[in-house]
Amino acid sequence: MTELTPRQIVAELDRDIVGQSDAKRAVAIALRNRWRRRQLPEELRVQITPKNILMIGPTGVGKTEIARRLAKLVGAPFVKVEATKFTEVGYVGRDVESIVRDLIEAAILLVKETERRRVQEHAEARANDRLLDLLLPVPPSAGPARGWFDPTGATANPPDEEAERRQRTREKLRTRLEAGDLDDREVEISIQGRAMAPVSILGAGNNMEQMEVELQSMFEKLVPKPSKNRKMTVKEARPILIAQEAEALIEPEKVNQQAVTLAEESGIVFLDELDKVAGEDGGKGPDVSRQGVQRDLLPIVEGTTVNTRYGPVRTDHVLFIAAGAFHKSKPSDLMPELQGRFPIRVELSDLSRDDFARIMREPRASLIKQYEALLSTEGVDVTFDDSAIDALADIAHQVNRTTQNIGARRLHTLLERVLEPLSFDAADKAGERVVISAQTVRDRLDNLVQDEDLSRYIL
């Protein structure tokens, strides 16, 4: 992360996300400030908290994607949650502390993946040794394990010549194993299952979810994990054995400690649909606990300690990025205390016609490239010419203006509609080259676009 300046972060985000430069600059600065904070003396470092961000803009303009790409860019634990899923304490639903529990789980996965890469080479060597033991088992006449002696004092090991011959055979097998010559040989390995409670221990409700997770974890420790033997080829067994050996080489306590630190220092929480819990309580229906959710969110965003199965996790330095359309409400409808915890406000703009065209052309995994790659698996070479992309951009922009504005998600609907006949018949068109032109787009979409009622329900 030392090398990633705000300018470089924005450049990386530009490779996948079109426009919204203000939002990209805001998250880039917030991320760089984390690195700056870590360079400070301990007594000053603990006083500096992240400047949380509130993104305001319609759906489909890139709010979630910016946060997700940012977390992936720096290898930070990331969770996306919707404010509407949470309820005030006392009502049925998820409590806000589950955000932190989800974050630590994401951190555990990241740390475990890093540890697996670290021990990969050692795990592969151990897995190969296990495969050799299965392919060349010790004969019963060899007696106990090497180095043991029977009570009479006579050695239980085979004669030196036999041992040397066996070792030469083993090395020949190792060479063939590493070359892949033995991939079709069959071996029998033991696969461990997971100890499961026969039924759900507790019902839904506040804190019930965490209690059930903890009881399940305790159940797994008390009850031995069931294992079963399975016959499979060496090729199929190798990744399973490597995973087992890697798991054995990883220290769980070390992983837990690193994950807690990673979540506390680098965690990013994307809190979507915050506008849906803004405003006064409705008193009934789904709005009954909106103010309560805000009150419960406040200590999490402000900085508190949440107990998890991996230990206590502090949220003082977790970066929160909230987002919402704020069509029917405004940021000032939030509780003043919660407003103050999101000092950076960024407004994301609607997508223009040119933005739609750029979205289909520029990103590394643009929608056009995705569809071309999907159909290439059937042997169909699909190409969109520039006029087709321009026509799709025109129609997407027009439909968003005349019906509900769903941003870039409109392109998914339009492209599916245009490519539906080709996708259906692709298996019969192997080896063909198909060019999608503006005329093809118009033929498939014009009738729907001109009929506003059809547009509203189909596009």
Side-chain angles (χ1 to χ4, degrees), residues 51-189:
K51 306 301 182 288
N52 298 319
I53 301 167
L54 177 60
M55 295 185 182
I56 305 164
T59 185
V61 296
K63 299 188 295 292
T64 306
E65 198 61 23
I66 288 173
R68 183 182 289 118
R69 295 281 179 181
L70 183 75
K72 190 175 181 181
L73 185 63
V74 297
F78 172 82
V79 291
K80 175 185 179 292
V81 295
E82 294 182 7
T84 51
K85 287 186 177 179
F86 301 103
T87 58
E88 182 181 2
V89 173
Y91 293 93
V92 175
R94 298 193 74 187
D95 66 292
V96 295
E97 288 189 354
S98 64
I99 297 173
V100 182
R101 294 193 285 270
D102 291 344
L103 185 66
I104 189 66
E105 291 290 349
I108 289 284
L109 290 177
L110 282 176
V111 174
K112 275 190 174 180
E113 186 59 35
T114 302
E115 287 294 298
R116 285 193 192 100
R117 288 196 295 268
R118 184 180 63 81
V119 302
Q120 180 70 16
E121 190 174 338
H122 192 187
E124 288 177 357
R126 289 176 56 161
N128 282 341
D129 286 338
R130 284 181 62 182
L131 284 170
L132 288 172
D133 291 339
L134 294 169
L135 292 167
L136 186 67
V138 177
S141 60
R146 258 195 316 267
W148 288 24
F149 295 88
D150 64 21
T152 64
T155 180
N157 286 329
D160 291 342
E161 295 81 5
E162 186 179 342
E164 289 176 7
R165 185 163 56 250
R166 180 178 174 80
Q167 186 62 31
R168 286 197 300 270
T169 305
R170 186 178 175 91
E171 291 307 316
K172 288 177 183 177
L173 276 177
R174 185 188 299 276
T175 302
R176 295 182 63 193
L177 179 67
E178 292 172 352
D181 296 340
L182 306 178
D183 282 356
D184 294 330
R185 291 276 190 94
E186 193 175 72
V187 294
E188 185 175 349
I189 65 172

Side-chain angles (χ1 to χ4, degrees), residues 281-301:
D281 285 342
K284 60 181 180 179
D287 297 335
V288 67
S289 63
R290 288 190 297 182
Q291 285 280 348
V293 172
Q294 292 185 54
R295 283 195 298 270
D296 291 346
L297 279 172
L298 183 59
I300 300 291
V301 178

